[in-house]
């Protein structure tokens, strides 16, 4: 269930109440006349089944409530109510399959913003991966994958393509490109420092690396894994099962490939630099393609489910 807290201008309150009452899957409607001060108006509270949430929010936006008042949405962790159970049973489809498009857009917008924190995370992840590459340490590679925040912009691009939001797409592309560019530049400087103090050696990079050699050996399996991870990551976002994102993060070789390319560039190893860059691009393309197709499929199947109801 979702909990909605609305601030409505007095002249719009009856329309809002009517919309909520006509939406199948709503419960616990509360109206507090004149309770809001900024912006001034009435406060309307209600719960709605997740599968009916997107339609209700779209209707509220058509009434202009996002411009003249406020729409706040929270997930309800626990709701002990027979009325809530009835509302969920009446709503079409399954809550786990429903996509809250406004929530997805907002989440990806936040995660795809080029911020100091985002750049710090992707840089630290790339530096950790650089250590893993030189030491041929798979544990460090997995740790770097988990730290990397690059799935946010990738999901932002997919969401923007499906929802036709060019500003979100542009923001996501900037975060992705600038983030990796800064991370690889700083990792190159980090590698030079580590080499100067005797902790990195060219011989270690070019030695036989059974645990991390796959990073600069892109093949069709790399693309297949990226596609599968993209599908899983997108489903985890749309179904609010964020725990699955950790598994997605350690399934693809984006950050490790960027790290390998940066270290190889420092040592003028053209072969590893090029092949690592190919691995990076292959994974990025696979995730974006899979994410976009997954969202399109969810949009299609959910519309068909709504028509059946």
């Amino acid at each position: 269930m979702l909990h909605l807290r609305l601030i409505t201008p007095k002249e719009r309150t009856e329309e809002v109440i009517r919309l909520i009452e006509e939406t199948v899957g709503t419960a616990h409607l509360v109206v507090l006349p004149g309770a809001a001060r900024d912006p001034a108006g009435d406060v309307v509270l209600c719960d709605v089944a997740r599968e009916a949430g997107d339609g209700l929010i779209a209707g509220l936006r058509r009434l202009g409530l996002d411009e003249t008042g406020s729409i706040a949405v929270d997930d309800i962790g626990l709701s002990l109510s027979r009325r809530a159970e009835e509302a969920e049973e009446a709503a079409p489809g399954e809550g786990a399959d429903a996509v809250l498009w406004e929530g997805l857009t907002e989440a990806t917008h936040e995660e795809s913003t080029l911020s100091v924190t985002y750049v710090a995370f992707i840089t630290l992840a790339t530096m950790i991966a650089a250590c893993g590459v030189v030491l041929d340490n798979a544990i460090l590679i997995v740790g770097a994958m988990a730290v990397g925040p690059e799935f946010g912009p990738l999901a932002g691009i997919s969401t923007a393509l499906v929802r036709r939001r060019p500003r979100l797409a542009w923001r996501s592309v900037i975060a992705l490109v600038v983030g990796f560019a800064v991370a690889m530049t700083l990792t190159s400087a980090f590698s030079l420092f580590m080499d100067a103090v005797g902790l990195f050696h060219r011989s270690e990079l070019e030695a036989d690396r059974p645990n991390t050699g796959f990073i600069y050996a892109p093949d069709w399996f790399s693309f297949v894994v990226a596609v599968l991870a993209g599908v899983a990551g997108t489903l985890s976002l749309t179904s609010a099962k964020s725990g699955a994102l950790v598994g997605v993060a350690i399934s693809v070789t984006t950050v490790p490939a960027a790290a390998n390319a940066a270290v190889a560039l420092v040592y003028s190893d053209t072969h590893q630099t090029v092949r690592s860059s190919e691995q990076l691009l292959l994974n990025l393309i696979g995730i974006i393609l899979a994410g976009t197709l997954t969202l399109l499929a969810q949009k299609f199947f959910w519309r068909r489910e709504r028509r059946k109801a």
Side-chain angles (χ1 to χ4, degrees):
M1 294 288 285
L2 303 172
H3 177 69
L4 271 63
R5 187 188 73 244
L6 314 174
I7 297 178
T8 73
K10 292 182 179 180
E11 63 274 14
R12 287 284 190 184
T13 300
E14 287 303 318
E15 290 179 274
V16 170
I17 293 173
R18 191 178 309 115
L19 175 63
I20 294 173
E21 291 177 336
E22 291 175 352
T23 299
V24 177
T26 58
H28 310 144
L29 176 61
V30 177
V31 182
L32 304 174
R37 293 291 180 267
D38 184 18
D42 303 328
V43 174
V44 179
L45 310 173
C46 75
D47 295 339
V48 59
R50 182 180 178 85
E51 49 268 44
D54 191 64
L56 178 56
I57 293 171
L60 293 170
R61 294 196 67 181
R62 283 194 295 271
L63 292 177
L65 205 60
D66 55 325
E67 299 288 341
T68 60
S70 170
I71 304 172
V73 183
D74 292 313
D75 278 302
I76 299 177
L78 176 65
S79 179
L80 303 177
S81 165
R82 181 179 295 277
R83 181 69 188 88
E85 293 177 1
E86 293 173 351
E88 288 186 315
E89 290 175 0
E94 294 293 333
D97 297 332
V99 180
L100 198 63
W101 290 101
E102 292 299 333
L104 177 63
T105 303
E106 183 64 26
T108 51
H109 180 278
E110 182 179 345
E111 292 295 325
S112 60
T113 299
L114 184 63
S115 62
V116 174
T117 302
Y118 170 81
V119 173
F121 268 115
I122 197 168
T123 300
L124 291 170
T126 309
M127 289 180 176
I128 293 171
C131 294
V133 162
V134 174
L135 297 174
D136 192 33
N137 189 316
I139 295 176
L140 291 178
I141 296 298
V142 171
M145 290 175 174
V147 172
E150 72 279 5
F151 189 79
L154 293 171
I157 293 173
S158 296
T159 303
L161 291 174
V162 173
R163 302 212 69 197
R164 299 177 183 177
R165 299 287 181 89
R167 291 184 63 183
L168 176 59
W170 181 240
R171 176 189 293 266
S172 301
V173 169
I174 289 176
L176 198 64
V177 173
V178 174
F180 270 114
V182 172
M184 293 174 71
T185 300
L186 293 179
T187 299
S188 296
F190 171 73
S191 300
L192 287 171
F193 169 77
M194 295 292 278
D195 181 79
V197 298
L199 295 177
F200 278 13
H201 301 281
R202 182 189 184 111
S203 59
E204 293 175 316
L205 178 73
E206 297 181 345
D208 184 31
R209 287 158 45 195
N211 295 319
T212 59
F214 68 92
I215 293 173
Y216 61 93
D219 54 23
W220 278 108
F221 276 107
S222 302
F223 183 73
V224 170
V225 171
V227 168
L228 295 175
V231 173
T234 303
L235 289 175
S236 71
L237 285 177
T238 57
S239 62
K241 297 185 182 296
S242 57
L245 281 177
V246 177
V248 172
I250 61 177
S251 299
V252 290
T253 352
T254 48
V255 166
N260 201 90
V263 177
L265 185 64
V266 167
Y267 289 121
S268 302
D269 189 328
T270 307
H271 173 71
Q272 287 200 39
T273 301
V274 172
R275 297 291 282 169
S276 298
S277 300
E278 291 175 355
Q279 178 80 279
L280 175 60
L281 290 174
L282 196 63
N283 278 270
L284 295 179
I285 293 170
I287 293 173
I288 293 172
L289 177 63
T292 303
L293 293 177
T294 300
L295 289 175
L296 287 171
Q298 287 182 289
K299 192 174 185 180
F300 171 77
F301 286 117
W302 186 250
R303 282 182 176 176
R304 193 173 68 171
E305 190 72 25
R306 294 291 295 271
R307 291 194 193 102
K308 288 181 181 178

Short mmCIF file of all heavy atoms in Angstrom, two decimals, residues 106-162:
data_model
loop_
_atom_site.label_atom_id
_atom_site.label_comp_id
_atom_site.label_asym_id
_atom_site.label_seq_id
_atom_site.Cartn_x
_atom_site.Cartn_y
_atom_site.Cartn_z
N GLU A 106 11.49 10.08 -10.34
CA GLU A 106 12.10 10.86 -9.26
C GLU A 106 13.34 10.17 -8.72
O GLU A 106 14.37 10.79 -8.46
CB GLU A 106 11.08 11.06 -8.13
CG GLU A 106 11.58 11.92 -6.97
CD GLU A 106 11.89 13.35 -7.38
OE1 GLU A 106 11.29 13.84 -8.36
OE2 GLU A 106 12.74 13.98 -6.71
N ALA A 107 13.26 8.85 -8.55
CA ALA A 107 14.39 8.09 -8.00
C ALA A 107 15.59 8.13 -8.95
O ALA A 107 16.73 8.35 -8.53
CB ALA A 107 13.98 6.65 -7.74
N THR A 108 15.34 7.92 -10.23
CA THR A 108 16.44 7.93 -11.20
C THR A 108 16.99 9.34 -11.39
O THR A 108 18.18 9.51 -11.65
CB THR A 108 15.99 7.35 -12.56
OG1 THR A 108 14.79 8.01 -12.99
CG2 THR A 108 15.72 5.87 -12.44
N HIS A 109 16.13 10.35 -11.26
CA HIS A 109 16.58 11.73 -11.35
C HIS A 109 17.59 12.03 -10.24
O HIS A 109 18.65 12.62 -10.47
CB HIS A 109 15.38 12.68 -11.24
CG HIS A 109 15.75 14.13 -11.32
ND1 HIS A 109 16.21 14.85 -10.24
CD2 HIS A 109 15.73 15.01 -12.37
CE1 HIS A 109 16.45 16.10 -10.61
NE2 HIS A 109 16.18 16.21 -11.90
N GLU A 110 17.27 11.57 -9.04
CA GLU A 110 18.17 11.80 -7.90
C GLU A 110 19.47 11.02 -8.05
O GLU A 110 20.56 11.54 -7.79
CB GLU A 110 17.46 11.39 -6.61
CG GLU A 110 18.29 11.63 -5.35
CD GLU A 110 17.54 11.23 -4.09
OE1 GLU A 110 16.31 11.04 -4.16
OE2 GLU A 110 18.19 11.10 -3.04
N GLU A 111 19.37 9.76 -8.49
CA GLU A 111 20.54 8.90 -8.59
C GLU A 111 21.44 9.27 -9.77
O GLU A 111 22.60 8.87 -9.80
CB GLU A 111 20.11 7.44 -8.74
CG GLU A 111 19.44 6.86 -7.51
CD GLU A 111 20.38 6.78 -6.32
OE1 GLU A 111 21.59 6.51 -6.53
OE2 GLU A 111 19.93 6.99 -5.19
N SER A 112 20.89 10.02 -10.74
CA SER A 112 21.68 10.36 -11.93
C SER A 112 22.16 11.80 -11.91
O SER A 112 22.54 12.35 -12.94
CB SER A 112 20.84 10.11 -13.19
OG SER A 112 19.68 10.92 -13.18
N THR A 113 22.14 12.41 -10.75
CA THR A 113 22.62 13.79 -10.62
C THR A 113 24.13 13.80 -10.42
O THR A 113 24.66 13.07 -9.58
CB THR A 113 21.94 14.49 -9.43
OG1 THR A 113 20.52 14.52 -9.65
CG2 THR A 113 22.43 15.92 -9.29
N LEU A 114 24.82 14.61 -11.19
CA LEU A 114 26.28 14.71 -11.06
C LEU A 114 26.60 15.54 -9.82
O LEU A 114 26.54 16.76 -9.85
CB LEU A 114 26.87 15.36 -12.32
CG LEU A 114 28.40 15.45 -12.36
CD1 LEU A 114 29.02 14.07 -12.36
CD2 LEU A 114 28.84 16.25 -13.58
N SER A 115 26.91 14.87 -8.74
CA SER A 115 27.20 15.54 -7.48
C SER A 115 28.59 15.15 -7.00
O SER A 115 29.21 14.22 -7.53
CB SER A 115 26.16 15.13 -6.43
OG SER A 115 26.23 13.72 -6.18
N VAL A 116 29.06 15.85 -5.99
CA VAL A 116 30.37 15.54 -5.41
C VAL A 116 30.36 14.12 -4.84
O VAL A 116 31.32 13.36 -4.99
CB VAL A 116 30.72 16.56 -4.31
CG1 VAL A 116 32.01 16.14 -3.60
CG2 VAL A 116 30.88 17.95 -4.92
N THR A 117 29.26 13.75 -4.20
CA THR A 117 29.15 12.41 -3.61
C THR A 117 29.21 11.33 -4.68
O THR A 117 29.89 10.31 -4.52
CB THR A 117 27.84 12.28 -2.81
OG1 THR A 117 27.82 13.29 -1.79
CG2 THR A 117 27.72 10.91 -2.17
N TYR A 118 28.48 11.54 -5.78
CA TYR A 118 28.48 10.57 -6.88
C TYR A 118 29.88 10.39 -7.44
O TYR A 118 30.36 9.26 -7.63
CB TYR A 118 27.51 11.03 -7.98
CG TYR A 118 27.61 10.22 -9.25
CD1 TYR A 118 26.97 9.00 -9.38
CD2 TYR A 118 28.37 10.68 -10.33
CE1 TYR A 118 27.07 8.25 -10.54
CE2 TYR A 118 28.49 9.94 -11.49
CZ TYR A 118 27.83 8.73 -11.59
OH TYR A 118 27.94 7.99 -12.74
N VAL A 119 30.56 11.51 -7.71
CA VAL A 119 31.92 11.44 -8.27
C VAL A 119 32.87 10.77 -7.28
O VAL A 119 33.75 9.99 -7.67
CB VAL A 119 32.42 12.85 -8.65
CG1 VAL A 119 33.88 12.82 -9.06
CG2 VAL A 119 31.57 13.43 -9.78
N ALA A 120 32.69 11.07 -5.98
CA ALA A 120 33.56 10.46 -4.97
C ALA A 120 33.38 8.95 -4.94
O ALA A 120 34.37 8.19 -4.90
CB ALA A 120 33.24 11.05 -3.60
N PHE A 121 32.13 8.48 -4.99
CA PHE A 121 31.88 7.04 -4.95
C PHE A 121 32.46 6.33 -6.17
O PHE A 121 33.10 5.28 -6.05
CB PHE A 121 30.38 6.76 -4.84
CG PHE A 121 29.89 6.61 -3.43
CD1 PHE A 121 29.00 7.53 -2.89
CD2 PHE A 121 30.32 5.56 -2.63
CE1 PHE A 121 28.56 7.41 -1.58
CE2 PHE A 121 29.88 5.43 -1.33
CZ PHE A 121 28.99 6.36 -0.79
N ILE A 122 32.21 6.88 -7.35
CA ILE A 122 32.69 6.19 -8.55
C ILE A 122 34.21 6.24 -8.65
O ILE A 122 34.84 5.30 -9.14
CB ILE A 122 32.02 6.79 -9.82
CG1 ILE A 122 32.19 5.81 -10.99
CG2 ILE A 122 32.58 8.15 -10.18
CD1 ILE A 122 31.34 6.17 -12.20
N THR A 123 34.82 7.32 -8.13
CA THR A 123 36.28 7.41 -8.12
C THR A 123 36.89 6.41 -7.15
O THR A 123 37.85 5.70 -7.47
CB THR A 123 36.72 8.84 -7.76
OG1 THR A 123 36.20 9.76 -8.73
CG2 THR A 123 38.24 8.95 -7.73
N LEU A 124 36.33 6.35 -5.94
CA LEU A 124 36.83 5.40 -4.95
C LEU A 124 36.66 3.96 -5.43
O LEU A 124 37.54 3.12 -5.24
CB LEU A 124 36.09 5.60 -3.62
CG LEU A 124 36.40 6.91 -2.88
CD1 LEU A 124 35.45 7.10 -1.71
CD2 LEU A 124 37.85 6.91 -2.39
N ALA A 125 35.51 3.69 -6.06
CA ALA A 125 35.27 2.34 -6.59
C ALA A 125 36.31 1.99 -7.65
O ALA A 125 36.83 0.86 -7.69
CB ALA A 125 33.87 2.25 -7.18
N THR A 126 36.63 2.94 -8.52
CA THR A 126 37.60 2.69 -9.58
C THR A 126 39.00 2.51 -9.01
O THR A 126 39.77 1.66 -9.49
CB THR A 126 37.59 3.86 -10.59
OG1 THR A 126 36.25 4.12 -11.02
CG2 THR A 126 38.42 3.54 -11.82
N MET A 127 39.34 3.25 -7.97
CA MET A 127 40.65 3.08 -7.34
C MET A 127 40.76 1.72 -6.65
O MET A 127 41.80 1.06 -6.71
CB MET A 127 40.90 4.21 -6.34
CG MET A 127 41.15 5.56 -6.97
SD MET A 127 41.44 6.85 -5.73
CE MET A 127 41.81 8.25 -6.79
N ILE A 128 39.68 1.30 -5.98
CA ILE A 128 39.69 -0.03 -5.35
C ILE A 128 39.86 -1.10 -6.42
O ILE A 128 40.62 -2.06 -6.24
CB ILE A 128 38.38 -0.25 -4.56
CG1 ILE A 128 38.31 0.69 -3.36
CG2 ILE A 128 38.27 -1.70 -4.09
CD1 ILE A 128 36.96 0.69 -2.66
N ALA A 129 39.15 -0.93 -7.55
CA ALA A 129 39.26 -1.90 -8.64
C ALA A 129 40.68 -1.90 -9.22
O ALA A 129 41.18 -2.96 -9.62
CB ALA A 129 38.25 -1.57 -9.73
N ALA A 130 41.34 -0.74 -9.25
CA ALA A 130 42.71 -0.67 -9.75
C ALA A 130 43.64 -1.52 -8.88
O ALA A 130 44.52 -2.23 -9.40
CB ALA A 130 43.19 0.78 -9.79
N CYS A 131 43.43 -1.46 -7.58
CA CYS A 131 44.22 -2.30 -6.67
C CYS A 131 43.93 -3.77 -6.94
O CYS A 131 44.85 -4.61 -6.95
CB CYS A 131 43.91 -1.95 -5.22
SG CYS A 131 44.40 -0.29 -4.72
N GLY A 132 42.68 -4.10 -7.17
CA GLY A 132 42.31 -5.47 -7.47
C GLY A 132 42.91 -5.97 -8.75
O GLY A 132 43.31 -7.14 -8.87
N VAL A 133 42.99 -5.08 -9.75
CA VAL A 133 43.57 -5.45 -11.05
C VAL A 133 45.05 -5.77 -10.91
O VAL A 133 45.53 -6.80 -11.41
CB VAL A 133 43.36 -4.28 -12.05
CG1 VAL A 133 44.30 -4.42 -13.23
CG2 VAL A 133 41.92 -4.24 -12.52
N VAL A 134 45.78 -4.91 -10.23
CA VAL A 134 47.22 -5.10 -10.09
C VAL A 134 47.54 -6.32 -9.23
O VAL A 134 48.48 -7.07 -9.51
CB VAL A 134 47.88 -3.83 -9.51
CG1 VAL A 134 49.36 -4.07 -9.21
CG2 VAL A 134 47.73 -2.66 -10.48
N LEU A 135 46.75 -6.53 -8.19
CA LEU A 135 46.98 -7.66 -7.28
C LEU A 135 46.31 -8.94 -7.75
O LEU A 135 46.48 -9.99 -7.12
CB LEU A 135 46.46 -7.31 -5.88
CG LEU A 135 47.14 -6.13 -5.16
CD1 LEU A 135 46.44 -5.82 -3.86
CD2 LEU A 135 48.62 -6.43 -4.93
N ASP A 136 45.53 -8.85 -8.84
CA ASP A 136 44.75 -9.99 -9.32
C ASP A 136 43.87 -10.55 -8.21
O ASP A 136 43.78 -11.76 -7.98
CB ASP A 136 45.67 -11.08 -9.86
CG ASP A 136 44.89 -12.15 -10.64
OD1 ASP A 136 43.89 -11.80 -11.28
OD2 ASP A 136 45.29 -13.34 -10.59
N ASN A 137 43.21 -9.62 -7.51
CA ASN A 137 42.41 -9.96 -6.33
C ASN A 137 40.92 -9.83 -6.67
O ASN A 137 40.41 -8.73 -6.82
CB ASN A 137 42.78 -9.04 -5.17
CG ASN A 137 42.17 -9.48 -3.86
OD1 ASN A 137 41.00 -9.83 -3.80
ND2 ASN A 137 42.97 -9.45 -2.80
N ALA A 138 40.23 -10.95 -6.77
CA ALA A 138 38.81 -10.94 -7.14
C ALA A 138 37.95 -10.29 -6.07
O ALA A 138 36.91 -9.69 -6.38
CB ALA A 138 38.34 -12.36 -7.40
N ILE A 139 38.35 -10.39 -4.80
CA ILE A 139 37.56 -9.81 -3.71
C ILE A 139 37.51 -8.29 -3.84
O ILE A 139 36.46 -7.66 -3.66
CB ILE A 139 38.14 -10.22 -2.35
CG1 ILE A 139 38.01 -11.73 -2.14
CG2 ILE A 139 37.46 -9.47 -1.21
CD1 ILE A 139 38.63 -12.25 -0.87
N LEU A 140 38.64 -7.69 -4.18
CA LEU A 140 38.67 -6.24 -4.36
C LEU A 140 37.82 -5.82 -5.56
O LEU A 140 37.16 -4.77 -5.54
CB LEU A 140 40.11 -5.76 -4.55
CG LEU A 140 41.01 -5.85 -3.31
CD1 LEU A 140 42.42 -5.40 -3.66
CD2 LEU A 140 40.45 -5.01 -2.17
N ILE A 141 37.83 -6.64 -6.60
CA ILE A 141 37.02 -6.34 -7.78
C ILE A 141 35.54 -6.36 -7.43
O ILE A 141 34.77 -5.46 -7.80
CB ILE A 141 37.31 -7.35 -8.91
CG1 ILE A 141 38.76 -7.22 -9.38
CG2 ILE A 141 36.36 -7.14 -10.08
CD1 ILE A 141 39.11 -5.86 -9.96
N VAL A 142 35.11 -7.38 -6.68
CA VAL A 142 33.71 -7.47 -6.26
C VAL A 142 33.35 -6.29 -5.37
O VAL A 142 32.27 -5.70 -5.50
CB VAL A 142 33.46 -8.81 -5.53
CG1 VAL A 142 32.08 -8.82 -4.90
CG2 VAL A 142 33.60 -9.97 -6.49
N GLY A 143 34.25 -5.93 -4.45
CA GLY A 143 33.99 -4.78 -3.59
C GLY A 143 33.83 -3.49 -4.37
O GLY A 143 32.95 -2.68 -4.09
N ALA A 144 34.68 -3.32 -5.39
CA ALA A 144 34.58 -2.12 -6.23
C ALA A 144 33.26 -2.08 -6.99
O ALA A 144 32.63 -1.03 -7.14
CB ALA A 144 35.75 -2.08 -7.21
N MET A 145 32.83 -3.25 -7.48
CA MET A 145 31.55 -3.32 -8.18
C MET A 145 30.40 -2.90 -7.27
O MET A 145 29.47 -2.20 -7.69
CB MET A 145 31.30 -4.75 -8.67
CG MET A 145 32.20 -5.21 -9.81
SD MET A 145 31.89 -6.97 -10.19
CE MET A 145 32.89 -7.20 -11.64
N ALA A 146 30.45 -3.33 -6.02
CA ALA A 146 29.37 -3.01 -5.08
C ALA A 146 29.35 -1.53 -4.73
O ALA A 146 28.28 -0.95 -4.49
CB ALA A 146 29.52 -3.85 -3.81
N VAL A 147 30.52 -0.89 -4.68
CA VAL A 147 30.60 0.53 -4.32
C VAL A 147 30.17 1.44 -5.47
O VAL A 147 29.57 2.50 -5.25
CB VAL A 147 32.04 0.88 -3.88
CG1 VAL A 147 32.20 2.39 -3.68
CG2 VAL A 147 32.39 0.14 -2.59
N GLY A 148 30.43 1.02 -6.70
CA GLY A 148 30.15 1.87 -7.86
C GLY A 148 28.69 2.28 -7.97
O GLY A 148 27.80 1.44 -7.87
N PRO A 149 28.41 3.57 -8.22
CA PRO A 149 27.04 4.09 -8.30
C PRO A 149 26.53 4.26 -9.72
O PRO A 149 25.54 4.96 -9.96
CB PRO A 149 27.17 5.45 -7.63
CG PRO A 149 28.52 5.92 -8.08
CD PRO A 149 29.39 4.68 -8.22
N GLU A 150 27.17 3.61 -10.69
CA GLU A 150 26.86 3.91 -12.10
C GLU A 150 25.51 3.40 -12.56
O GLU A 150 25.02 3.83 -13.62
CB GLU A 150 27.97 3.35 -13.01
CG GLU A 150 28.00 1.84 -13.18
CD GLU A 150 28.67 1.12 -12.02
OE1 GLU A 150 29.03 1.78 -11.03
OE2 GLU A 150 28.83 -0.10 -12.13
N PHE A 151 24.87 2.49 -11.82
CA PHE A 151 23.59 1.99 -12.29
C PHE A 151 22.51 3.08 -12.26
O PHE A 151 21.55 3.03 -13.05
CB PHE A 151 23.12 0.79 -11.45
CG PHE A 151 21.92 0.10 -12.05
CD1 PHE A 151 22.06 -0.79 -13.11
CD2 PHE A 151 20.63 0.35 -11.58
CE1 PHE A 151 20.96 -1.41 -13.68
CE2 PHE A 151 19.54 -0.27 -12.13
CZ PHE A 151 19.69 -1.15 -13.19
N GLY A 152 22.66 4.07 -11.38
CA GLY A 152 21.69 5.16 -11.32
C GLY A 152 21.54 5.89 -12.63
O GLY A 152 20.43 5.99 -13.18
N PRO A 153 22.63 6.43 -13.20
CA PRO A 153 22.53 7.09 -14.50
C PRO A 153 22.08 6.17 -15.62
O PRO A 153 21.36 6.58 -16.53
CB PRO A 153 23.96 7.60 -14.75
CG PRO A 153 24.55 7.72 -13.40
CD PRO A 153 23.95 6.62 -12.59
N LEU A 154 22.51 4.89 -15.58
CA LEU A 154 22.08 3.95 -16.61
C LEU A 154 20.57 3.74 -16.56
O LEU A 154 19.88 3.74 -17.60
CB LEU A 154 22.79 2.61 -16.41
CG LEU A 154 24.31 2.62 -16.65
CD1 LEU A 154 24.93 1.30 -16.23
CD2 LEU A 154 24.63 2.92 -18.10
N ALA A 155 20.02 3.60 -15.34
CA ALA A 155 18.57 3.48 -15.19
C ALA A 155 17.88 4.78 -15.59
O ALA A 155 16.77 4.77 -16.14
CB ALA A 155 18.22 3.12 -13.75
N GLY A 156 18.55 5.90 -15.33
CA GLY A 156 17.99 7.20 -15.71
C GLY A 156 17.85 7.34 -17.21
O GLY A 156 16.85 7.87 -17.71
N ILE A 157 18.84 6.85 -17.95
CA ILE A 157 18.77 6.90 -19.42
C ILE A 157 17.62 6.04 -19.93
O ILE A 157 16.84 6.47 -20.80
CB ILE A 157 20.10 6.44 -20.04
CG1 ILE A 157 21.22 7.45 -19.71
CG2 ILE A 157 19.97 6.30 -21.56
CD1 ILE A 157 22.60 6.99 -20.12
N SER A 158 17.48 4.83 -19.40
CA SER A 158 16.40 3.94 -19.82
C SER A 158 15.03 4.56 -19.51
O SER A 158 14.12 4.55 -20.35
CB SER A 158 16.53 2.58 -19.12
OG SER A 158 17.71 1.92 -19.52
N THR A 159 14.89 5.10 -18.31
CA THR A 159 13.63 5.73 -17.92
C THR A 159 13.31 6.92 -18.81
O THR A 159 12.17 7.11 -19.23
CB THR A 159 13.69 6.18 -16.45
OG1 THR A 159 13.99 5.06 -15.61
CG2 THR A 159 12.37 6.79 -16.00
N ALA A 160 14.33 7.73 -19.10
CA ALA A 160 14.13 8.91 -19.94
C ALA A 160 13.71 8.53 -21.35
O ALA A 160 12.86 9.19 -21.96
CB ALA A 160 15.41 9.74 -19.97
N LEU A 161 14.28 7.45 -21.87
CA LEU A 161 13.92 7.01 -23.23
C LEU A 161 12.47 6.54 -23.27
O LEU A 161 11.73 6.86 -24.22
CB LEU A 161 14.84 5.87 -23.67
CG LEU A 161 16.30 6.26 -23.94
CD1 LEU A 161 17.14 5.03 -24.23
CD2 LEU A 161 16.39 7.25 -25.09
N VAL A 162 12.04 5.79 -22.26
CA VAL A 162 10.68 5.26 -22.25
C VAL A 162 9.66 6.37 -21.98
O VAL A 162 8.59 6.40 -22.60
CB VAL A 162 10.55 4.15 -21.17
CG1 VAL A 162 9.10 3.70 -21.03
CG2 VAL A 162 11.42 2.96 -21.57
#
